[in-house]
Amino acid sequence: MNNLIGVALWAVPVVVILVLYKFVLRVFFGMVIVPDDRIGLVVKKYALTGAKRLPDGRIIAINGEAGMQAKALAPGLYWAMWPWQYSITMQPFTIIEQGKLGLVKARDGASMDTGRVLGKPVDCDNFQDAQAFLDNRGQKGPQAAFLTPGSYRINAFLFEIEMVPITQIQENKVGIVTTLDGEPLEKGEIAGNSVAGHKNYQDPIAFISAGGRKGLQEDVILAGTYYLNPWFVIVEQVDMIYIPIGYVGVVNSFVGPEGKDTSGDSFKHGNIVKRNEKGVWDQPLDPGKHPVNIYTHAVEVVPTTNIVLNWADSRTEAHELDKNLCTITVRSSDGFTFNLDVSQIIHIPRNEAPKVIARFGNMKNLVSQVLEPTIANYFRNSAQKSDVIEFLANRVQRQEDAKSHISKVLNDYNVVGVDTLIGDIVPPPALMKTLTDRKIAEQEKVTYEIQRHAQIERKEFESAKAGADMQPEVVKSTRQVEINTQMAASKVAASRGEAEAKTINAKADAEVRITIAKADAEAKTVNAKADANATEVNGIAEATKIKAIGLSEAEVTKQKTEAMGTEQYAIVRVAEALASHGIKLVPDILVSGKDGGGSGMIDALIGSEMFKKLQTTNEAHVVVEEKPKTDKPEKE
């Protein structure tokens, strides 16, 4: 109970003070207290005698006119704000949160300039001094200036605040800007050119003052946080242009000054200009990420590594440039139609990439306008010059010929033809069956040959197995053979030594005998010469002697002939000749028929036979007496 009495004693004075404030101080003294977190918005109910009326079109009073007052009450104590003349509304501070910005729209002010959509900034303490805003001819409508995060005393009678997120450009992206205020674009241009001093479009008035153009902008903003007034710019975030390794980006710029063609007179397919000029840039973008405005610059990614293009129904590379290419159908000279797959490898040098794009626009056009008809027609023409079998047999040569021909054609288009490869060839089914049957026959022949070799190997295996079983005996025999071989070799070596010794001795004996023989020959030659000389002298002497004897005998014969007579001398010479040769004038056995009777002839025969036996006995006796002969010649 005591506590309740204590609370009542404190509450009564407070209620009394509030009543006094409400009814006494406010009514009799016009006292107004504005809290620290509020401002007082004042509405003047009527003006004193002689006060001006608000001008037409104005809603905020700045010169004491009746109505909503531009001057607000800051936190504090005010007097003479009589309730019958002033209506006070407590307005909380305007708080702009972090990550937000406050867009300001003025409900009153001067008219906008012709062609402008944003009011010019004026000195008004960030829109906290409405009186200054109106006095400085702040313009009605959306304001170019805005409020950054913080707390502001904003007169809600004059300004309407809209909070929007700040602009944040993400990593690996660029912001493409379209401005809603500025000078109109020049005729023929699609984007405003670069101007300086606007802090990446965060200062709209600086942009406009520098001559910035309304609409799409050539410049982009990079990753980061920006206080951009969405009533002034619209920002679209797009990915950076990524050029992979092994590629370049050929840039075709739609903005910039008109450039001078650098491609030369021989190139008739478009202008090649320097960087930042309008046209195809002569220097492509190298591998990496590039902040490119995709609406003002077109970038064609061109591979600078080898590109494989397949003319095949079931094979497409990752780049998909050969997506619409298919197997080539050709007809041979013998009337067969067949299909073949072809792969073409090409290379576009970095410095030639701008010319390729200037000529064709993109890589797909290069494939469809040049590569596809060139390669397909070449193989169709080539196939018509040969039959199917010849085409298959001469595949390597045709591949080389195709590479040479296609490389020359591509060189005219600033493209390098690296290689042309013939892939799968599908001959006609009828011809394929013939070739298949032939191949099967060849394979059967090979199979039979393999089986034959297998039988031979099996036989060899069995033989080897039997040999392995006999290996102990073979080893023993081998060892015995080796021993015998070594012994034979020893004997052979000994015999060879003896033979060599004998050969040496024989050679020595032969050399001695040759020396002796040479000496004997020389001696005999000398003796023979001496004997010859002696014989010659003796012969001469003998001849002289014989001649002398002959002359003397002739003289004797002559005298005998003359003495005896010729006939008588001849008889005597015959008898001497017969006697000298052992011929007897009187027979050894005389046969006489007269005295011997009938047995004379028999006696003669018997006597003759006995005489022969006596001669034979005498001859044999003579042979025994002779010296035995030998085949060996006597030594000289």
Side-chain angles (χ1 to χ4, degrees):
M1 180 63 80
N2 293 331
N3 290 334
L4 291 175
I5 294 172
V7 171
L9 292 175
W10 283 102
V12 170
V14 172
V15 172
V16 171
I17 291 173
L18 289 175
V19 172
L20 289 175
Y21 169 75
K22 181 75 175 174
F23 295 101
V24 177
L25 297 178
R26 178 77 176 86
V27 172
F28 293 100
F29 299 98
M31 184 184 73
V32 175
I33 299 175
V34 179
D36 290 341
D37 59 348
R38 298 286 191 274
I39 60 172
L41 301 182
V42 179
V43 176
K44 194 173 186 179
K45 297 179 180 180
Y46 61 90
L48 298 175
T49 304
K52 297 179 180 180
R53 298 181 61 184
L54 285 173
D56 293 338
R58 301 296 294 271
I59 63 172
I60 303 298
I62 58 175
N63 295 317
E65 300 92 345
M68 293 180 290
Q69 302 299 303
K71 189 174 179 68
L73 301 179
L77 176 63
Y78 296 90
W79 300 97
M81 301 299 294
W82 316 109
W84 57 83
Q85 187 177 12
Y86 297 100
S87 174
I88 308 299
T89 302
M90 298 301 171
Q91 170 74 30
F93 286 179
T94 299
I95 298 175
I96 308 299
E97 299 174 357
Q98 290 294 327
K100 305 280 188 180
L101 56 82
L103 303 181
V104 180
K105 181 183 290 186
R107 294 190 176 96
D108 202 349
S111 299
M112 287 283 185
D113 295 339
T114 303
R116 295 285 179 262
V117 297
L118 296 177
K120 293 179 179 179
V122 295
D123 187 10
C124 59
D125 190 18
N126 286 323
F127 303 104
Q128 294 182 105
D129 190 343
Q131 182 75 36
F133 176 83
L134 295 174
D135 288 342
N136 293 330
R137 297 189 57 78
Q139 296 173 329
K140 185 191 323 185
Q143 302 298 302
F146 48 82
L147 301 176
T148 57
S151 179
Y152 300 90
R153 300 189 301 272
I154 302 297
N155 187 335
F157 290 158
L158 176 59
F159 300 113
E160 179 183 352
I161 307 300
E162 179 182 348
M163 284 190 292
V164 296
I166 61 176
T167 301
Q168 188 170 8
I169 307 300
Q170 303 297 323
E171 291 292 333
N172 298 321
K173 292 184 179 291
V174 294
I176 299 177
V177 176
T178 300
T179 61
L180 304 176
D181 204 346
E183 297 296 326
L185 292 173
E186 294 182 358
K187 185 177 181 180
E189 297 293 338
I190 65 169
N193 56 354
S194 299
V195 295
H198 53 78
K199 301 177 182 178
N200 286 319
Y201 306 99
Q202 294 180 103
D203 189 344
I205 300 304
F207 173 84
I208 296 171
S209 300
R213 303 287 178 173
K214 183 191 300 185
L216 178 66
Q217 300 299 305
E218 178 182 349
D219 290 340
V220 296
I221 53 179
L222 304 179
T225 301
Y226 301 89
Y227 293 107
L228 298 177
N229 188 337
W231 293 338
F232 170 60
V233 293
I234 298 174
V235 179
E236 178 185 357
Q237 295 191 46
V238 298
D239 293 331
M240 284 187 173
I241 296 296
Y242 172 62
I243 309 297
I245 295 175
Y247 292 78
V248 294
V250 178
V251 180
N252 184 16
S253 177
F254 309 134
V255 296
E258 294 293 337
K260 182 180 179 181
D261 183 23
T262 62
S263 62
D265 296 335
S266 61
F267 189 78
K268 307 294 184 182
H269 304 278
N271 292 339
I272 307 295
V273 299
K274 293 189 177 299
R275 187 182 289 261
N276 297 323
E277 295 178 344
K278 185 182 291 186
V280 178
W281 291 356
D282 59 355
Q283 291 298 318
L285 302 178
D286 290 318
K289 293 182 178 180
H290 302 270
V292 177
N293 188 331
I294 61 173
Y295 298 123
T296 60
H297 299 77
V299 179
E300 185 68 25
V301 178
V302 178
T304 55
T305 55
N306 288 348
I307 309 171
V308 180
L309 301 170
N310 297 308
W311 276 256
D313 293 333
S314 60
R315 188 166 67 253
T316 301
E317 299 295 329
H319 50 65
E320 294 190 344
L321 293 174
D322 54 357
K323 183 178 181 180
N324 297 324
L325 301 178
C326 59
T327 298
I328 301 174
T329 301
V330 299
R331 185 183 299 276
S332 63
S333 61
D334 50 358
F336 285 104
T337 298
F338 60 96
N339 298 329
L340 70 154
D341 294 345
V342 176
S343 295
Q344 176 65 44
I345 304 175
I346 64 173
H347 167 64
I348 300 176
R350 176 185 182 277
N351 295 333
E352 298 295 331
K355 291 184 179 180
V356 173
I357 298 304
R359 185 193 297 265
F360 298 105
N362 54 54
M363 291 296 296
K364 290 185 178 179
N365 291 341
L366 169 64
V367 174
S368 62
Q369 297 175 15
V370 175
L371 289 168
E372 182 176 7
T374 298
I375 293 177
N377 289 336
Y378 173 80
F379 283 103
R380 291 190 182 101
N381 295 337
S382 177
Q384 289 180 351
K385 297 179 182 178
S386 67
D387 55 36
V388 179
I389 300 300
E390 181 185 356
F391 192 93
L392 294 173
N394 297 329
R395 170 176 176 163
V396 174
Q397 184 60 44
R398 295 190 181 281
Q399 188 168 274
E400 291 296 326
D401 294 342
K403 174 184 175 181
S404 177
H405 173 78
I406 295 170
S407 295
K408 291 180 181 179
V409 174
L410 295 180
N411 188 56
D412 295 336
Y413 296 97
N414 307 106
V415 179
V416 177
V418 178
D419 204 355
T420 303
L421 305 173
I422 299 177
D424 189 20
I425 300 177
V426 183
L431 181 61
M432 195 65 185
K433 184 178 185 305
T434 301
L435 296 177
T436 302
D437 293 343
R438 182 185 303 172
K439 190 65 178 179
I440 290 173
E442 292 176 356
Q443 292 300 318
E444 288 178 348
K445 181 178 179 181
V446 172
T447 302
Y448 297 151
E449 187 66 21
I450 292 173
Q451 290 176 349
R452 187 178 70 83
H453 282 294
Q455 293 298 327
I456 293 173
E457 290 179 358
R458 186 180 66 80
K459 181 179 179 181
E460 292 177 352
F461 170 74
E462 294 295 339
S463 177
K465 182 179 178 182
D469 294 338
M470 296 294 294
Q471 190 63 26
E473 296 297 330
V474 171
V475 172
K476 182 178 179 181
S477 300
T478 301
R479 291 290 179 265
Q480 187 61 44
V481 169
E482 291 177 354
I483 293 170
N484 295 337
T485 301
Q486 292 297 327
M487 294 177 66
S490 176
K491 291 182 179 180
V492 168
S495 299
R496 185 178 292 115
E498 292 177 359
E500 290 178 353
K502 290 181 179 180
T503 301
I504 294 171
N505 293 332
K507 287 182 178 180
D509 292 341
E511 290 178 357
V512 170
R513 291 186 179 185
I514 289 171
T515 303
I516 295 172
K518 287 182 178 180
D520 291 343
E522 290 178 357
K524 288 180 178 181
T525 300
V526 173
N527 293 332
K529 288 181 179 181
D531 290 343
N533 292 333
T535 301
E536 183 179 1
V537 173
N538 292 331
I540 294 171
E542 187 66 25
T544 304
K545 176 182 177 183
I546 292 171
K547 182 178 180 181
I549 293 171
L551 290 174
S552 61
E553 287 180 353
E555 185 63 28
V556 172
T557 301
K558 181 179 178 182
Q559 291 176 5
K560 285 180 178 182
T561 302
E562 291 178 354
M564 296 176 66
T566 304
E567 291 181 1
Q568 196 66 32
Y569 181 76
I571 292 171
V572 172
R573 292 296 297 170
V574 168
E576 289 177 355
L578 290 174
S580 64
H581 286 84
I583 299 174
K584 298 179 179 180
L585 293 177
V586 180
D588 291 329
I589 301 172
L590 179 63
V591 178
S592 173
K594 184 179 178 179
D595 293 330
S599 59
M601 289 299 293
I602 295 171
D603 294 336
L605 291 173
I606 294 171
S608 176
E609 288 297 325
M610 291 179 66
F611 182 76
K612 287 180 181 179
K613 288 181 180 181
L614 291 174
Q615 283 184 335
T616 302
T617 302
N618 293 332
E619 288 177 358
H621 180 73
V622 172
V623 170
V624 172
E625 291 293 332
E626 291 180 357
K627 185 178 179 180
K629 295 183 181 180
T630 179
D631 294 336
K632 293 183 181 180
E634 295 181 359
K635 290 186 180 181
E636 296 180 358

Coordinates of all heavy atoms in Angstrom, one line a residue, residues 110-120 137 139-140 180-184 208 214:
A110 N 12.2 25.3 -59.1 CA 12.1 25.8 -60.4 C 11.9 24.7 -61.5 O 12.1 23.5 -61.2 CB 13.4 26.5 -60.7
S111 N 11.5 25.1 -62.6 CA 11.2 24.2 -63.7 C 12.6 23.6 -64.2 O 13.6 24.2 -64.2 CB 10.5 24.8 -64.8 OG 9.2 25.3 -64.4
M112 N 12.5 22.3 -64.7 CA 13.6 21.7 -65.3 C 14.0 22.4 -66.6 O 13.2 22.9 -67.3 CB 13.3 20.2 -65.7 CG 13.2 19.3 -64.5 SD 14.8 18.9 -63.9 CE 14.4 17.7 -62.6
D113 N 15.3 22.4 -66.9 CA 15.8 22.9 -68.2 C 15.2 22.0 -69.3 O 15.0 20.7 -69.1 CB 17.3 22.9 -68.3 CG 17.9 23.9 -67.3 OD1 17.2 24.8 -66.8 OD2 19.1 23.7 -66.9
T114 N 15.1 22.5 -70.5 CA 14.5 21.8 -71.6 C 15.5 20.6 -71.9 O 16.7 20.8 -72.1 CB 14.4 22.7 -72.8 OG1 13.5 23.8 -72.4 CG2 13.8 21.9 -74.0
G115 N 14.9 19.4 -72.0 CA 15.7 18.2 -72.4 C 16.4 17.5 -71.2 O 17.0 16.5 -71.4
R116 N 16.2 18.1 -70.0 CA 16.9 17.5 -68.9 C 15.8 16.7 -68.1 O 14.6 17.0 -68.1 CB 17.5 18.6 -68.0 CG 18.6 19.3 -68.6 CD 19.9 18.4 -68.6 NE 21.0 19.1 -69.3 CZ 21.4 19.0 -70.5 NH1 20.7 18.1 -71.3 NH2 22.4 19.6 -71.0
V117 N 16.3 15.6 -67.4 CA 15.5 14.8 -66.6 C 15.8 14.9 -65.1 O 15.1 14.3 -64.3 CB 15.5 13.3 -67.1 CG1 15.0 13.2 -68.5 CG2 16.9 12.8 -67.0
L118 N 17.0 15.5 -64.8 CA 17.4 15.6 -63.5 C 17.7 17.1 -63.1 O 18.2 17.9 -63.9 CB 18.7 14.8 -63.3 CG 18.6 13.3 -63.5 CD1 20.0 12.7 -63.3 CD2 17.7 12.7 -62.5
G119 N 17.3 17.4 -61.9 CA 17.5 18.7 -61.4 C 19.0 19.0 -61.1 O 19.7 18.1 -60.5
K120 N 19.4 20.2 -61.3 CA 20.8 20.5 -61.1 C 21.1 20.6 -59.6 O 20.2 21.1 -58.8 CB 21.2 21.9 -61.7 CG 21.2 21.9 -63.2 CD 21.5 23.3 -63.7 CE 21.5 23.3 -65.3 NZ 21.8 24.6 -65.8
R137 N 17.2 28.3 -56.4 CA 16.5 27.9 -57.6 C 16.8 26.4 -57.9 O 17.0 25.9 -59.0 CB 16.9 28.7 -58.8 CG 16.4 30.2 -58.7 CD 16.6 30.9 -60.0 NE 15.9 30.3 -61.1 CZ 14.6 30.4 -61.3 NH1 13.9 31.2 -60.5 NH2 14.1 29.8 -62.4
Q139 N 15.6 22.8 -58.7 CA 14.6 22.4 -59.6 C 13.7 21.3 -59.1 O 14.2 20.4 -58.4 CB 15.3 22.0 -61.0 CG 16.0 23.2 -61.6 CD 16.8 22.7 -62.8 OE1 17.3 21.6 -62.9 NE2 17.0 23.6 -63.8
K140 N 12.5 21.4 -59.5 CA 11.5 20.4 -59.1 C 11.7 19.1 -59.9 O 12.0 19.1 -61.1 CB 10.1 21.0 -59.4 CG 9.0 20.1 -58.9 CD 7.6 20.4 -59.4 CE 7.3 21.9 -59.5 NZ 5.9 22.2 -59.9
L180 N 20.7 8.5 -68.9 CA 19.4 9.0 -69.2 C 19.4 10.5 -69.3 O 18.3 11.0 -69.6 CB 18.4 8.5 -68.1 CG 18.4 7.0 -67.8 CD1 17.5 6.7 -66.6 CD2 17.9 6.3 -69.1
D181 N 20.5 11.1 -69.2 CA 20.6 12.5 -69.3 C 21.9 12.9 -70.0 O 22.9 12.1 -70.0 CB 20.5 13.2 -68.0 CG 20.0 14.7 -68.1 OD1 19.9 15.2 -69.2 OD2 19.6 15.2 -67.0
G182 N 21.9 14.0 -70.7 CA 23.1 14.5 -71.4 C 22.7 15.0 -72.8 O 21.5 15.1 -73.1
E183 N 23.7 15.3 -73.6 CA 23.4 15.8 -74.9 C 23.0 14.6 -75.8 O 23.4 13.5 -75.6 CB 24.7 16.4 -75.5 CG 25.1 17.7 -74.8 CD 24.1 18.8 -74.8 OE1 23.4 18.9 -75.9 OE2 23.9 19.5 -73.8
P184 N 22.2 14.9 -76.8 CA 21.8 13.8 -77.7 C 23.0 13.2 -78.5 O 24.0 14.0 -78.7 CB 20.8 14.4 -78.7 CG 20.3 15.6 -78.0 CD 21.5 16.1 -77.1
I208 N 27.5 15.7 -67.6 CA 26.7 16.6 -68.5 C 27.5 17.8 -68.9 O 27.6 18.2 -70.1 CB 25.4 16.9 -67.9 CG1 24.5 15.7 -67.7 CG2 24.6 18.0 -68.8 CD1 23.3 15.9 -66.9
K214 N 23.8 11.4 -74.1 CA 22.7 10.6 -73.5 C 22.6 9.3 -74.3 O 22.8 9.3 -75.6 CB 21.4 11.3 -73.7 CG 20.2 10.5 -73.1 CD 18.9 11.2 -73.5 CE 18.8 12.6 -73.0 NZ 17.5 13.2 -73.2

